[in-house]
Amino acid sequence: MTRDGLNTLKEIERKVCDLREKVGNMKTRIYDFYTMEEDVLDLDAHGHLSDVDEVMGIAEMNLFYVVRTLQKAYKAERELMDTYGLLNDESDE
C-alpha cells in the first residue's frame, strides 16, 4: 500500500469512528425519548422503540468492530512497509 493508501485508510477509520459516535448518540436519544420523556403512550410503539434501541446498540458494537478491524489492516500494511523500508522516517501517526 502506498503512503496515500495508508492516509486513505486512516481517513476511513476516522469517518467510521464519527459514525459510531453518531449511532451511539442517536441510541441514547431514542432511549431517552421512549423511557424518560414519557411521550410514548401506545404499548406497541413503546415495544417497537425498544427494539430500535436494541438494534442501534448492535449497530454501535458492529461499528466498533469495523474500527478495530480497520486499525488492524492499517497496522499490517504499516508493518510491511516498515519491514521493507518503503516509508521514510516521517510518521503518519
Side-chain angles (χ1 to χ4, degrees), residues 4-22:
D4 287 342
L6 284 174
N7 290 336
T8 299
L9 198 52
K10 273 293 188 188
E11 178 186 342
I12 292 169
E13 178 191 336
R14 282 190 293 274
K15 287 182 179 184
V16 174
C17 281
D18 291 344
L19 182 58
R20 184 179 64 87
E21 184 176 341
K22 287 178 183 179

Side-chain angles (χ1 to χ4, degrees), residues 1-7 9 73-74 77 80-81 86-87:
M1 187 176 289
T2 64
R3 179 177 298 283
D4 287 342
L6 284 174
N7 290 336
L9 198 52
Y74 179 89
E77 283 290 331
L80 181 67
M81 292 180 82
L86 299 174
L87 295 177

Side-chain angles (χ1 to χ4, degrees), residues 1-88:
M1 187 176 289
T2 64
R3 179 177 298 283
D4 287 342
L6 284 174
N7 290 336
T8 299
L9 198 52
K10 273 293 188 188
E11 178 186 342
I12 292 169
E13 178 191 336
R14 282 190 293 274
K15 287 182 179 184
V16 174
C17 281
D18 291 344
L19 182 58
R20 184 179 64 87
E21 184 176 341
K22 287 178 183 179
V23 168
N25 291 340
M26 185 55 63
K27 178 188 179 309
T28 300
R29 175 69 182 102
I30 291 167
Y31 178 80
D32 288 348
F33 175 69
Y34 81 91
T35 59
M36 306 299 224
E37 296 176 21
E38 298 179 5
D39 198 22
V40 179
L41 302 177
D42 185 81
L43 190 57
D44 286 339
H46 190 277
H48 293 307
L49 290 169
S50 176
D51 291 345
V52 168
D53 179 54
E54 182 179 339
V55 172
M56 293 290 281
I58 293 167
E60 187 179 17
M61 286 188 296
N62 284 336
L63 287 168
F64 177 76
Y65 177 74
V66 169
V67 169
R68 297 292 299 188
T69 306
L70 286 168
Q71 290 171 343
K72 289 177 184 179
Y74 179 89
K75 182 180 176 188
E77 283 290 331
R78 179 71 192 229
E79 287 176 354
L80 181 67
M81 292 180 82
D82 286 345
T83 298
Y84 291 102
L86 299 174
L87 295 177
N88 59 22

